[in-house]
Amino acid sequence: MVLVRVSLADREPEARALIKRYRTLWSPGFVLLDHHETELRRFLGFQQGPDFVAELRVGLGKIHLLHRRPEQAYAEWRAVADLDPPAPVSAEALYWSGIARFQQQKKSVDWLREYWSELGERFPDSRWWTHADVWGN
């Protein structure tokens, strides 16, 4: 991962081109891209160190999954899901953990049910539980 800092106040043509290209509307704003410059995550606003790292790890997990590395994706997401106290993105990470296991285990729905049941137990008020509740749990 490469981090590039660009200020919205920067008037240099190179900086202006990046701001325009990635439609940066406010700062601090973060856009996570893979090596093909495919955007995989975007978030706004200052975050304390552990929450910022958790956001980055969720983004790294998406990069791994996109490039058919579900084991590495799972490791990133599970680490974020297991944070104590949970990060603001821990519920999302647990949701994606189930998807990574689903892809690893030859598309077994049982893996989704296991992880998403945990999601409902730990984060019942999260929008990620709403997304996962496809079986009417």
Side-chain angles (χ1 to χ4, degrees):
M1 178 183 301
V2 176
L3 300 176
V4 178
R5 182 181 183 276
V6 177
S7 170
L8 291 177
D10 196 331
R11 297 291 170 216
E12 293 296 319
E14 189 174 84
R16 302 308 310 157
L18 285 170
I19 291 166
K20 182 177 179 180
R21 181 175 185 177
Y22 295 110
R23 302 171 323 280
T24 306
L25 302 174
W26 196 246
S27 69
F30 303 90
V31 181
L32 277 66
L33 313 167
D34 71 0
H35 62 280
H36 297 294
E37 296 187 18
T38 301
E39 182 178 322
L40 295 167
R41 187 163 192 82
R42 176 183 291 261
F43 55 99
L44 288 171
F46 173 78
Q47 297 183 40
Q48 294 292 334
D51 291 344
F52 181 74
V53 170
E55 283 276 6
L56 293 176
R57 293 190 83 171
V58 169
L60 280 173
K62 287 186 175 184
I63 290 170
H64 288 309
L65 194 66
L66 178 68
H67 295 287
R68 300 173 195 246
R69 297 185 302 260
E71 298 85 8
Q72 288 128 312
Y74 176 81
E76 294 294 346
W77 290 326
R78 193 67 222 199
V80 174
D82 290 341
L83 289 172
D84 187 21
V89 293
S90 289
E92 179 184 0
L94 187 53
Y95 175 89
W96 284 106
S97 294
I99 292 171
R101 279 295 197 228
F102 175 80
Q103 289 194 0
Q104 277 181 282
Q105 301 300 324
K106 312 245 187 297
K107 315 262 189 267
S108 171
V109 173
D110 293 333
W111 284 104
L112 285 175
R113 285 192 177 116
E114 178 182 330
Y115 284 88
W116 289 357
S117 291
E118 180 185 349
L119 180 61
E121 291 167 14
R122 291 182 52 205
F123 303 102
D125 298 324
S126 77
R127 70 183 184 105
W128 295 98
W129 169 237
T130 302
H131 293 325
D133 194 20
V134 297
W135 294 289
N137 292 322

